[in-house]
Short mmCIF file of all heavy atoms in Angstrom, two decimals:
data_model
loop_
_atom_site.label_atom_id
_atom_site.label_comp_id
_atom_site.label_asym_id
_atom_site.label_seq_id
_atom_site.Cartn_x
_atom_site.Cartn_y
_atom_site.Cartn_z
N LYS W 116 14.65 10.25 -17.00
CA LYS W 116 15.52 11.30 -17.54
C LYS W 116 15.19 12.68 -17.02
O LYS W 116 16.05 13.53 -16.87
CB LYS W 116 15.43 11.29 -19.07
CG LYS W 116 15.97 10.01 -19.66
CD LYS W 116 16.43 10.22 -21.07
CE LYS W 116 17.27 9.07 -21.59
NZ LYS W 116 17.23 7.81 -20.87
N LYS W 117 13.92 12.91 -16.75
CA LYS W 117 13.50 14.26 -16.36
C LYS W 117 13.56 14.49 -14.86
O LYS W 117 13.26 15.57 -14.38
CB LYS W 117 12.06 14.52 -16.83
CG LYS W 117 11.83 14.28 -18.28
CD LYS W 117 11.82 15.58 -19.05
CE LYS W 117 11.69 15.30 -20.53
NZ LYS W 117 12.43 16.26 -21.34
N MET W 118 13.92 13.42 -14.12
CA MET W 118 13.93 13.57 -12.67
C MET W 118 15.30 14.04 -12.20
O MET W 118 16.31 13.75 -12.82
CB MET W 118 13.62 12.22 -12.03
CG MET W 118 12.32 12.18 -11.28
SD MET W 118 12.07 10.53 -10.67
CE MET W 118 11.43 10.90 -9.06
N LYS W 119 15.28 14.75 -11.09
CA LYS W 119 16.56 15.18 -10.52
C LYS W 119 17.24 14.00 -9.86
O LYS W 119 16.58 13.10 -9.35
CB LYS W 119 16.32 16.29 -9.50
CG LYS W 119 16.00 17.60 -10.16
CD LYS W 119 15.69 18.65 -9.12
CE LYS W 119 15.24 19.93 -9.80
NZ LYS W 119 14.58 20.83 -8.87
N VAL W 120 18.57 14.05 -9.87
CA VAL W 120 19.37 12.93 -9.35
C VAL W 120 18.95 12.58 -7.92
O VAL W 120 18.70 11.42 -7.60
CB VAL W 120 20.87 13.30 -9.41
CG1 VAL W 120 21.69 12.31 -8.62
CG2 VAL W 120 21.33 13.34 -10.85
N GLY W 121 18.87 13.60 -7.07
CA GLY W 121 18.53 13.35 -5.66
C GLY W 121 17.16 12.72 -5.51
O GLY W 121 17.01 11.71 -4.82
N GLU W 122 16.18 13.30 -6.19
CA GLU W 122 14.80 12.78 -6.09
C GLU W 122 14.73 11.35 -6.60
O GLU W 122 14.04 10.50 -6.04
CB GLU W 122 13.86 13.66 -6.94
CG GLU W 122 13.58 15.02 -6.33
CD GLU W 122 12.77 15.90 -7.28
OE1 GLU W 122 12.36 15.41 -8.35
OE2 GLU W 122 12.58 17.08 -6.93
N GLN W 123 15.43 11.12 -7.69
CA GLN W 123 15.43 9.80 -8.30
C GLN W 123 15.93 8.73 -7.33
O GLN W 123 15.29 7.70 -7.13
CB GLN W 123 16.34 9.85 -9.52
CG GLN W 123 16.50 8.56 -10.22
CD GLN W 123 16.02 8.69 -11.63
OE1 GLN W 123 15.21 7.92 -12.08
NE2 GLN W 123 16.48 9.67 -12.35
N ILE W 124 17.09 8.99 -6.74
CA ILE W 124 17.68 7.99 -5.83
C ILE W 124 16.78 7.83 -4.60
O ILE W 124 16.55 6.72 -4.13
CB ILE W 124 19.12 8.39 -5.45
CG1 ILE W 124 19.99 8.40 -6.71
CG2 ILE W 124 19.68 7.43 -4.43
CD1 ILE W 124 21.40 8.89 -6.51
N MET W 125 16.26 8.96 -4.11
CA MET W 125 15.34 8.89 -2.96
C MET W 125 14.14 8.01 -3.27
O MET W 125 13.72 7.18 -2.45
CB MET W 125 14.83 10.30 -2.60
CG MET W 125 15.83 11.19 -1.92
SD MET W 125 16.13 10.72 -0.24
CE MET W 125 14.63 11.27 0.53
N TYR W 126 13.58 8.21 -4.45
CA TYR W 126 12.39 7.45 -4.86
C TYR W 126 12.69 5.96 -4.89
O TYR W 126 11.97 5.15 -4.30
CB TYR W 126 11.93 7.95 -6.22
CG TYR W 126 10.79 7.18 -6.84
CD1 TYR W 126 9.55 7.08 -6.20
CD2 TYR W 126 10.94 6.57 -8.08
CE1 TYR W 126 8.51 6.39 -6.78
CE2 TYR W 126 9.89 5.88 -8.67
CZ TYR W 126 8.67 5.80 -8.02
OH TYR W 126 7.64 5.12 -8.61
N LEU W 127 13.79 5.60 -5.57
CA LEU W 127 14.13 4.19 -5.69
C LEU W 127 14.46 3.58 -4.32
O LEU W 127 14.11 2.44 -4.04
CB LEU W 127 15.30 4.01 -6.65
CG LEU W 127 14.95 4.37 -8.10
CD1 LEU W 127 16.20 4.39 -8.97
CD2 LEU W 127 13.93 3.40 -8.68
N ALA W 128 15.09 4.39 -3.46
CA ALA W 128 15.42 3.90 -2.13
C ALA W 128 14.15 3.64 -1.32
O ALA W 128 14.01 2.64 -0.63
CB ALA W 128 16.30 4.91 -1.41
N GLN W 129 13.18 4.56 -1.45
CA GLN W 129 11.93 4.39 -0.70
C GLN W 129 11.13 3.21 -1.22
O GLN W 129 10.47 2.51 -0.46
CB GLN W 129 11.12 5.68 -0.76
CG GLN W 129 11.64 6.74 0.19
CD GLN W 129 10.89 8.04 0.05
OE1 GLN W 129 11.09 8.77 -0.90
NE2 GLN W 129 9.99 8.32 0.96
N LEU W 130 11.20 2.97 -2.53
CA LEU W 130 10.53 1.79 -3.07
C LEU W 130 11.13 0.51 -2.51
O LEU W 130 10.47 -0.50 -2.41
CB LEU W 130 10.63 1.75 -4.60
CG LEU W 130 9.68 2.65 -5.40
CD1 LEU W 130 9.83 2.36 -6.88
CD2 LEU W 130 8.23 2.44 -4.98
N LYS W 131 12.42 0.59 -2.14
CA LYS W 131 13.07 -0.57 -1.54
C LYS W 131 12.78 -0.65 -0.05
O LYS W 131 13.34 -1.49 0.65
CB LYS W 131 14.57 -0.51 -1.79
CG LYS W 131 14.98 -0.95 -3.19
CD LYS W 131 14.78 -2.44 -3.38
CE LYS W 131 15.27 -2.88 -4.75
NZ LYS W 131 14.84 -4.26 -5.05
N GLY W 132 11.99 0.26 0.46
CA GLY W 132 11.54 0.15 1.84
C GLY W 132 12.27 1.03 2.84
O GLY W 132 11.99 0.96 4.02
N LEU W 133 13.20 1.86 2.36
CA LEU W 133 13.85 2.77 3.30
C LEU W 133 12.89 3.90 3.65
O LEU W 133 12.14 4.35 2.80
CB LEU W 133 15.09 3.40 2.66
CG LEU W 133 16.36 2.58 2.54
CD1 LEU W 133 17.52 3.48 2.15
CD2 LEU W 133 16.69 1.86 3.83
N ASP W 134 12.94 4.37 4.89
CA ASP W 134 12.12 5.54 5.20
C ASP W 134 12.85 6.79 4.71
O ASP W 134 14.02 6.74 4.34
CB ASP W 134 11.77 5.62 6.68
CG ASP W 134 12.99 5.75 7.56
OD1 ASP W 134 13.85 6.58 7.24
OD2 ASP W 134 13.08 5.01 8.56
N LYS W 135 12.13 7.89 4.70
CA LYS W 135 12.63 9.10 4.07
C LYS W 135 13.96 9.57 4.69
O LYS W 135 14.89 9.94 4.00
CB LYS W 135 11.58 10.20 4.19
CG LYS W 135 11.53 11.09 2.98
CD LYS W 135 10.32 11.99 3.06
CE LYS W 135 10.36 12.97 1.90
NZ LYS W 135 9.16 13.78 1.81
N LYS W 136 14.02 9.49 6.00
CA LYS W 136 15.18 10.01 6.71
C LYS W 136 16.42 9.17 6.40
O LYS W 136 17.48 9.69 6.06
CB LYS W 136 14.87 9.97 8.23
CG LYS W 136 15.81 10.79 9.06
CD LYS W 136 15.30 10.92 10.48
CE LYS W 136 16.45 11.07 11.45
NZ LYS W 136 16.77 9.86 12.19
N LYS W 137 16.23 7.85 6.49
CA LYS W 137 17.34 6.93 6.18
C LYS W 137 17.81 7.11 4.75
O LYS W 137 19.00 7.16 4.46
CB LYS W 137 16.85 5.48 6.38
CG LYS W 137 17.14 4.92 7.75
CD LYS W 137 18.30 3.94 7.65
CE LYS W 137 18.79 3.50 9.02
NZ LYS W 137 17.83 2.64 9.70
#
Side-chain angles (χ1 to χ4, degrees):
Chain W
K116 295 205 166 16
K117 306 259 176 214
M118 246 177 139
K119 285 177 185 164
V120 168
E122 287 174 5
Q123 177 120 233
I124 297 175
M125 286 287 286
Y126 174 60
L127 293 171
Q129 282 176 285
L130 281 186
K131 280 291 183 191
L133 283 192
D134 61 47
K135 216 170 174 174
K136 195 169 151 257
K137 266 255 171 71

